[in-house]
Amino acid sequence: MRHVATLAGVGIKTVSRVMNEEAGVSEATRTKVLEASRQLNYQLDVTAGSLRRAGRRTLSVGLLLPSVSNPFSGEINRALEDALSARGIAVFAASLDDDPQREQSIIAAFLGRRVDGLVLTPIAKNQSYTIPEHSRDLPMVFIDREPVGVDADAVVTDNAIGAAKAAAHLLAHGHTKIAYLGDRTDIQTARERKRGFLEEIGRAGIPSSSVPIRENLHDEETARQAAIELLTSENPPTAIFSSQNLVTFGTMRALKELGKNREVALVGFDDFTLADMMDPGVTVIAQHPDRIGVRTAERLLARIDGDQEPPRTYVVPSELIQRGSGEIRPPA
Amino acid sequence: MRHVATLAGVGIKTVSRVMNEEAGVSEATRTKVLEASRQLNYQLDVTAGSLRRAGRRTLSVGLLLPSVSNPFSGEINRALEDALSARGIAVFAASLDDDPQREQSIIAAFLGRRVDGLVLTPIAKNQSYTIPEHSRDLPMVFIDREPVGVDADAVVTDNAIGAAKAAAHLLAHGHTKIAYLGDRTDIQTARERKRGFLEEIGRAGIPSSSVPIRENLHDEETARQAAIELLTSENPPTAIFSSQNLVTFGTMRALKELGKNREVALVGFDDFTLADMMDPGVTVIAQHPDRIGVRTAERLLARIDGDQEPPRTYVVPSELIQRGSGEIRPPA
DNA sequence: ATGAAAGCGCTAACAG
DNA sequence: CTGTTAGCGCTTTCAT
């Protein structure tokens, strides 16, 4: 920057003004500076500037995801990127893998980079989210989980309502024996989905004690086994609601293996690629990770910009997508 | 840091040494400093340090992807994260969307953050990759594309060999009329795949002029239409090789619509989730984005560490995965 | 409209 | 083994 100033024959502060597009520079000097910086291939150093910038803004935020390779996370990452890059904010993403220790060190690493904000997406099992005391005033938005011990915004899917929609849909198609296949009970969203599902079943006058429930299914294989057990029991369900993608996949496998994929109805929570290409197409309660990401970005930016409203939780509605599997009727 | 030094009753440099785990600090003072930093919730500022650090390392790298929401990109991103975080290096990822303008501004943004290296993943159509002259000596690794105009390492899949394997597989199952459905011809990898495919066909003594070829298919819908045209022509192919995921999806749709999914063989380039759940399971030439990512990280770190070897291209082998669709035999 | 000086938090270089 | 000084590239503050 000094070099540019010298070459342009102006003070260093003028160069700073031009590079930051601040007002109060005559068009003539602006041109001079721009020309000089072009000649020298000069590029403003964002990080160096952060050292003195008001509020020490680094123009970067940290994003904690289950894994950057997970499709749901990817969508959120992308939506966030789009919203934040428009403001010149870059995002550091990191994968948690449900490992509390990893979580700690990632948060520490992000704090060490003085990020302007944090987005936390603990969709899976992880319980901790121990934000260091001293960074409680860092702008933060939680996704899919109500923050505990921190005052912060959250953006969540209407898990209970979505699950209730699934139940209502199956009930409307004549099912009365609908099984619930769920994720680990220590996951808040899983509990919400179960609650919504059972409440809707209850509203239909069906005692929840008669609902086949299998929980703590954490991967395709355990889900598949649970589904097979259910489906081969003496009084098998005529429909299944699966609370999460991997559980849905496992259930699909079980149905196919047993040749029941066209007999037993299935509604899964969470959409996935090629769901419409399955046999039959899989009816799902779709979340909208893109909208979640957009809303998250909006809240994070508001907080970064000094919004002092009391934190609240924003709900992004889910959507029932009919593709065939959820419209199968029970045998007469 | 000054505060910590004062509290611990030591010089600021000693604190720096402790925080950076440098040698030459007595255990006693080390403990004192650590205790003080704990009391003050002190966390080393990585970016501030970069200002004076040898080589001005920012301990961050930039990653340009087609889109962070694309599964292939996600895998690479993840592998990179794992390898780099072990060295305390954080990664900025950004999505290109095949937009050369966006590419330019992202590179500029990364340079403005003084990243220690760049990984460029231009899997798709994008042609430009105009790296500014002055950053030619920045450590850089290209993925899936030989760098043009820059001396840099590249990590690629064995596209031609993989495609040849697909052709050989179909030939071995008795097919002689195998169609090629390909992506845009301005994409290097697409050309490579076509070449490998046709060469293998040629080796079998089949004139390439008799091979039905449809190219410049850039999404599911155009691929679907092309496949339908081919399959409803007077002399339809008995097998199809699709050069890329979206093309494979479109082809699958076409086959299903025409009720030919169990008659016409299909091998797709690139693996995808639930490929085994299709009817029939889809045989693919799988790439290994994780291995690509690992190798990329290894090269990037080597360059960052000063490796001066002449740049070269590293090939990661693809793998044929049989799932049913590729093992369909032609009608007798 | 422009610039000079100070200093952000840190590390390199050099003392001691 | 430890500390002092200088200065990285920038923005703030305050002059002019």
Side-chain angles (χ1 to χ4, degrees):
Chain A
M1 185 147 166
R2 244 194 6 254
H3 300 318
V4 178
T6 312
L7 180 58
V10 301
I12 186 174
K13 174 66 220 192
T14 301
V15 179
S16 171
R17 273 192 266 259
V18 172
M19 300 314 288
N20 289 293
E21 300 181 352
E22 284 173 33
V25 183
S26 77
E27 194 49 39
T29 42
R30 216 183 81 89
T31 318
K32 255 193 314 189
V33 170
L34 252 22
E35 171 56 21
S37 76
R38 209 190 46 68
Q39 270 186 46
L40 297 175
N41 282 316
Y42 174 71
Q43 172 106 33
L44 190 65
D45 185 328
V46 180
T47 39
S50 78
L51 231 40
R52 297 239 69 205
R53 209 188 328 269
R56 276 228 211 322
R57 295 261 187 282
T58 55
L59 302 181
S60 66
V61 304
L63 171 60
L64 287 85
L65 298 166
S67 171
V68 294
S69 66
N70 145 339
F72 189 86
S73 299
E75 292 286 341
I76 289 176
N77 195 348
R78 181 58 203 269
L80 228 44
E81 177 197 339
D82 289 342
L84 298 178
S85 68
R87 288 260 306 249
I89 298 176
V91 7
F92 286 117
S95 307
L96 292 172
D97 274 341
D98 282 334
D99 177 349
Q101 188 147 0
R102 194 164 167 146
E103 174 193 312
Q104 301 277 37
S105 69
I106 291 173
I107 290 181
F110 285 168
L111 293 178
R113 284 164 192 283
R114 304 294 188 263
V115 294
D116 297 337
L118 235 34
V119 174
L120 307 127
T121 309
I123 299 171
K125 295 112 199 172
N126 199 312
Q127 282 295 25
S128 65
Y129 275 92
T130 31
I131 308 297
E133 299 285 338
H134 60 284
S135 49
R136 290 289 166 83
D137 50 350
L138 184 70
M140 256 183 310
V141 180
F142 284 76
I143 290 181
D144 239 40
R145 159 189 281 268
E146 316 264 344
V148 282
V150 205
D151 255 15
D153 293 313
V155 179
V156 304
T157 292
D158 61 347
N159 290 294
I161 294 174
K165 275 191 279 194
H169 186 69
L170 291 168
L171 288 165
H173 282 78
H175 295 278
T176 52
K177 180 126 187 164
I178 310 172
Y180 173 86
L181 293 189
D183 204 333
R184 291 179 41 164
T185 49
D186 56 359
I187 306 175
Q188 198 201 16
T189 57
R191 288 197 303 272
E192 283 294 290
R193 290 171 195 175
K194 180 181 174 193
R195 182 174 65 76
F197 173 80
L198 289 180
E199 282 177 7
E200 185 68 27
I201 297 278
R203 276 192 284 276
I206 299 174
S208 65
S209 59
S210 75
V211 177
I213 295 178
R214 292 304 170 93
E215 289 184 281
N216 293 307
L217 310 173
H218 48 278
D219 59 23
E220 260 183 73
E221 185 48 25
T222 50
R224 182 184 138 274
Q225 285 171 18
I228 287 186
E229 278 177 37
L230 275 178
L231 292 164
T232 55
S233 65
E234 52 189 305
N235 184 15
T238 62
I240 295 177
F241 170 60
S242 57
S243 86
Q244 182 248 82
N245 258 347
L246 296 183
V247 177
T248 304
F249 294 170
T251 305
M252 283 159 48
R253 292 217 141 77
L255 287 168
K256 200 170 180 187
E257 277 174 41
L258 300 174
K260 295 194 171 187
N261 46 318
R262 293 186 178 180
E263 290 165 31
V264 176
L266 171 65
V267 176
F269 205 107
D270 239 358
D271 200 7
F272 56 92
T273 307
L274 295 179
D276 61 322
M277 284 291 286
M278 307 314 295
D279 174 32
V282 179
T283 295
V284 300
I285 304 296
Q287 297 194 68
H288 289 291
D290 50 341
R291 291 186 206 158
I292 293 176
V294 167
R295 171 48 61 88
T296 300
E298 176 197 316
R299 289 317 305 154
L300 191 67
L301 286 174
R303 293 296 177 189
I304 288 176
D305 291 338
D307 181 348
Q308 294 293 335
E309 296 295 302
R312 50 166 286 208
T313 294
Y314 297 81
V315 177
V316 175
S318 58
E319 182 189 354
L320 173 73
I321 302 180
Q322 303 187 27
R323 295 204 181 96
S325 74
E327 293 72 48
I328 295 173
R329 294 188 166 272
Chain B
M1 184 148 168
R2 247 193 3 257
H3 300 317
V4 178
T6 312
L7 181 57
V10 301
I12 186 173
K13 177 66 219 192
T14 300
V15 178
S16 170
R17 270 193 267 260
V18 172
M19 300 313 289
N20 289 292
E21 299 181 353
E22 285 172 32
V25 182
S26 77
E27 195 48 40
T29 42
R30 216 183 81 87
T31 318
K32 253 193 317 189
V33 170
L34 252 22
E35 171 55 22
S37 77
R38 210 190 44 69
Q39 269 188 46
L40 297 174
N41 283 314
Y42 174 71
Q43 173 106 33
L44 190 65
D45 185 327
V46 180
T47 39
S50 79
L51 232 40
R52 298 239 70 206
R53 208 187 330 266
R56 277 228 210 320
R57 296 261 187 282
T58 55
L59 303 182
S60 65
V61 304
L63 171 59
L64 286 86
L65 298 166
S67 171
V68 294
S69 66
N70 146 340
F72 189 85
S73 300
E75 292 288 341
I76 289 175
N77 194 348
R78 181 58 204 269
L80 229 43
E81 177 197 339
D82 289 342
L84 299 178
S85 67
R87 289 259 307 247
I89 299 177
V91 6
F92 285 117
S95 307
L96 291 171
D97 274 341
D98 281 335
D99 177 350
Q101 188 146 1
R102 192 161 168 149
E103 175 193 312
Q104 300 276 39
S105 68
I106 291 172
I107 291 181
F110 285 167
L111 293 178
R113 284 166 191 281
R114 304 296 187 263
V115 293
D116 297 337
L118 234 35
V119 174
L120 306 129
T121 309
I123 299 172
K125 295 112 201 171
N126 200 312
Q127 282 295 27
S128 64
Y129 275 92
T130 29
I131 308 296
E133 298 285 339
H134 60 285
S135 48
R136 289 289 165 84
D137 51 349
L138 184 70
M140 255 183 311
V141 180
F142 284 76
I143 290 182
D144 240 38
R145 157 188 282 266
E146 316 264 341
V148 283
V150 204
D151 255 15
D153 293 313
V155 180
V156 304
T157 292
D158 61 347
N159 291 293
I161 294 174
K165 275 190 280 195
H169 187 68
L170 291 167
L171 288 164
H173 282 80
H175 296 278
T176 53
K177 180 127 189 164
I178 310 172
Y180 173 85
L181 293 188
D183 204 333
R184 292 177 39 165
T185 50
D186 56 359
I187 306 175
Q188 199 201 14
T189 57
R191 289 197 303 273
E192 282 295 290
R193 291 172 193 175
K194 180 182 174 193
R195 182 173 66 75
F197 173 80
L198 289 179
E199 283 177 6
E200 185 67 27
I201 297 279
R203 277 193 282 277
I206 300 173
S208 66
S209 60
S210 75
V211 177
I213 294 178
R214 292 305 170 91
E215 288 183 284
N216 292 308
L217 310 173
H218 48 278
D219 59 22
E220 260 184 71
E221 184 49 26
T222 49
R224 183 183 138 273
Q225 285 171 17
I228 286 186
E229 277 176 37
L230 275 179
L231 292 165
T232 55
S233 66
E234 51 189 306
N235 184 15
T238 62
I240 296 176
F241 170 60
S242 56
S243 86
Q244 180 250 82
N245 258 348
L246 296 183
V247 177
T248 304
F249 294 170
T251 305
M252 283 159 48
R253 291 219 140 78
L255 286 169
K256 199 169 181 186
E257 278 174 39
L258 299 173
K260 295 193 170 188
N261 45 319
R262 293 183 177 181
E263 291 164 30
V264 177
L266 170 65
V267 176
F269 205 107
D270 238 1
D271 199 7
F272 55 93
T273 306
L274 296 179
D276 61 321
M277 283 291 286
M278 307 315 294
D279 175 31
V282 179
T283 294
V284 299
I285 304 296
Q287 298 193 69
H288 290 291
D290 50 341
R291 292 186 206 161
I292 293 177
V294 167
R295 172 49 62 88
T296 300
E298 175 196 315
R299 290 316 306 154
L300 191 67
L301 286 174
R303 294 296 177 189
I304 287 175
D305 291 339
D307 181 347
Q308 294 293 333
E309 297 295 302
R312 50 166 286 210
T313 294
Y314 297 80
V315 177
V316 175
S318 59
E319 182 189 353
L320 173 73
I321 301 180
Q322 303 185 30
R323 296 205 180 97
S325 74
E327 293 72 47
I328 295 174
R329 293 186 167 273

